[in-house]
Amino acid sequence: MNIVFLLTGLALVFVLGILVSNDRKGIRIRPIATLLITQIVLAFLLLNTQIGIGLISFVSKMFSRLMELGVNGVNFVFGGMENKAGATFFLNVLLPIIFISVLIGILNHLRILPLIIKYVGWALNKLNGMGKLENYIAVSSAILGQSEVFLTAKQQLGFVSKRRLYTLCTSAMSAVSISIVGAYMTMLAPKYVVVAIVLNILSALIIANIINPYKIEEEEDQLVVEGEEKRLTFFQMISESIMDGLKVAIIVAAMLIGFIALMNLINYLFGLIFHISFQTTLGYVFAPIAFLMGVPWHEAVQAGSIMATKLVTNEFVAMMDFKNIAGGLSPRTVGIVSVFLVSFANFSSVGIITGSVKALHEKQGDEVAKFGMKLLYGSTLASILSGTIMGLFL
């Protein structure tokens, strides 16, 4: 039965992708098939082999320990406030992001992360035949985040075509920043977070090959990664990383306050007028999609509601709602929805990416704004694809 739902989920993704494709005749089957097979193999290795299970366990324990260490710093500043229920999420989930941001800064400073990104991107380039820049952005987005990644490629940003720009932005929206992975793991099973990060890199490239196929001439296939003109000292880097982490924590907190309040208002108004919540209404809209991905029909409305919540708000809001109902759902539904949630594919991210690109190159930022809705469409399809692949192993 899992194979059947894999086929229905793939059919859904491919049909919806082909409907909006820029060049249906230009779609290349080989790189799509290669990436899809790679996804299935990697998911199998991570979920069904001793090495994969051990790796997930190691990553899970590592981030759990990092979050604990981060909370130690929070405790020193805020005293006993972390024991009060009302302060738990901000203090124990968001503020430890600062500590993880520092570790990422250190790994970048020591040139460890750039080395990993370089060689993983090189391997992907050999696998799918896409451009070096496309594969670099796909990998680095999963580590640096959707806005920061463009800073490292700003020298080339003004020279890439509109089509290449769409692919780059789709990868950025389909990924997540490793600095907030620990926060995700407090709301979702860590194994789903790890698998989603791997699957999303490839899902974004598959969707880009369907919606936005193109060929790159050899002379265009260049990669110039931005280096620091004046290399920061170690302690300057620490200070900047701390401030970057604080900004992320504050931004996430502000978005949660705004979006949760707005969702409650909309639910209240829908209840008064239609006697049904807005989220439940969205659940009925997304239920067929959830079912085709492999969610049992009797749970499809609940799953669809969470998926839609992520789309119209953000992944944190959806994860918090999902955490409250996950105990009553089947393991299959929990796994599929969890993987779907681990990405930046939502309306607010369109604005974030548009602003990030525009800050570096105004003309290219305007181009991103023009295909903003198509960007959201493509990155959402990537999340659906990742969730569908996850369902094969549940």
Side-chain angles (χ1 to χ4, degrees):
M1 199 62 184
N2 286 7
I3 297 293
V4 173
F5 281 116
L6 173 66
L7 295 177
T8 57
L10 292 179
L12 172 69
V13 169
F14 292 154
V15 169
L16 293 178
I18 290 171
L19 283 175
V20 299
S21 178
N22 296 328
D23 183 9
R24 295 171 188 171
K25 294 182 179 179
I27 296 174
R28 293 178 295 161
I29 302 300
R30 184 174 179 179
I32 293 174
T34 302
L35 289 169
L36 188 59
I37 292 170
T38 303
Q39 278 187 308
I40 294 173
V41 170
L42 289 176
F44 174 81
L45 292 174
L46 285 171
L47 296 167
N48 294 282
T49 67
Q50 289 299 319
I51 294 176
I53 294 170
L55 177 62
I56 288 177
S57 177
F58 170 76
V59 173
S60 172
K61 290 177 181 177
M62 178 185 72
F63 274 102
S64 177
R65 184 58 180 154
L66 291 178
M67 293 294 283
E68 289 175 8
L69 293 172
V71 169
N72 289 339
V74 175
N75 291 350
F76 181 81
V77 175
F78 290 95
M81 285 180 62
E82 75 282 355
N83 295 320
K84 298 180 180 179
T88 298
F89 186 80
F90 181 69
L91 296 180
N92 289 356
V93 176
L94 296 186
L95 287 187
I97 289 173
I98 297 171
F99 176 56
I100 296 177
S101 177
V102 171
L103 295 183
I104 293 172
I106 292 172
L107 291 174
N108 260 327
H109 189 78
L110 299 176
R111 304 300 187 191
I112 295 173
L113 283 183
L115 193 65
I116 294 172
I117 292 170
K118 176 182 177 181
Y119 284 105
V120 174
W122 175 84
L124 272 180
N125 176 255
K126 297 300 180 183
L127 188 68
N128 58 36
M130 297 179 72
K132 294 175 183 176
L133 181 60
E134 283 81 350
N135 285 294
Y136 166 80
I137 294 293
V139 177
S140 56
S141 294
I143 296 176
L144 304 176
Q146 63 180 339
S147 54
E148 294 84 349
V149 69
F150 291 108
L151 288 169
T152 66
K154 65 182 181 181
Q155 289 188 32
Q156 287 180 264
L157 203 55
F159 302 101
V160 298
S161 65
K162 180 180 177 181
R163 285 197 170 184
R164 294 188 74 187
L165 187 62
Y166 177 87
T167 297
L168 302 182
C169 292
T170 299
S171 287
M173 272 189 71
S174 300
V176 293
S177 170
I178 202 169
S179 64
I180 57 177
V181 165
Y184 289 163
M185 288 182 179
T186 65
M187 295 178 283
L188 302 175
K191 67 177 180 179
Y192 298 135
V193 178
V194 175
V195 172
I197 291 171
V198 175
L199 292 180
N200 285 343
I201 293 173
L202 302 177
S203 289
L205 295 175
I206 290 172
I207 297 302
N209 267 294
I210 298 172
I211 293 180
N212 189 44
Y214 55 84
K215 290 184 178 180
I216 301 176
E217 300 298 329
E218 191 173 341
E219 58 271 17
E220 292 181 279
D221 191 17
Q222 304 296 323
L223 175 62
V224 181
V225 178
E226 184 76 8
E228 296 169 307
E229 292 181 5
K230 182 179 179 181
R231 185 166 169 78
L232 299 176
T233 67
F234 183 79
F235 288 104
Q236 284 177 320
M237 174 275 299
I238 292 288
S239 299
E240 289 207 358
S241 296
I242 289 171
M243 294 309 298
D244 288 342
L246 177 62
K247 289 174 188 175
V248 172
I250 296 298
I251 289 170
V252 171
M255 292 179 72
L256 284 174
I257 292 169
F259 277 122
I260 290 175
L262 180 61
M263 184 61 70
N264 287 337
L265 172 63
I266 295 173
N267 280 333
Y268 174 73
L269 294 176
F270 260 67
L272 285 178
I273 300 170
F274 304 109
H275 305 292
I276 186 174
S277 73
F278 178 62
Q279 284 170 293
T280 302
T281 304
L282 290 176
Y284 283 109
V285 174
F286 270 73
I289 295 175
F291 176 69
L292 291 175
M293 291 170 65
V295 172
W297 180 250
H298 66 279
E299 297 176 337
V301 173
Q302 287 177 291
S305 175
I306 297 298
M307 292 164 61
T309 298
K310 179 224 177 179
L311 181 67
V312 299
T313 58
N314 62 42
E315 74 281 5
F316 268 103
V317 177
M319 286 178 190
M320 292 177 70
D321 286 350
F322 186 54
K323 187 178 179 180
N324 294 329
I325 67 169
L329 300 175
S330 66
R332 180 174 180 81
T333 298
V334 170
I336 292 172
V337 175
S338 295
V339 170
F340 177 88
L341 294 180
V342 183
S343 83
F344 289 141
N346 55 63
F347 281 99
S348 59
S349 286
V350 176
I352 292 171
I353 287 184
T354 301
S356 299
V357 174
K358 195 163 188 174
L360 298 174
H361 195 285
E362 187 170 352
K363 184 179 178 181
Q364 294 289 58
D366 291 336
E367 291 292 342
V368 174
K370 290 177 184 177
F371 58 62
M373 289 305 297
K374 197 170 185 178
L375 181 59
L376 177 61
Y377 185 89
S379 57
T380 301
L381 286 184
S383 293
I384 292 173
L385 177 57
S386 293
T388 298
I389 298 296
M390 185 70 233
L392 180 62
F393 301 99
L394 296 171

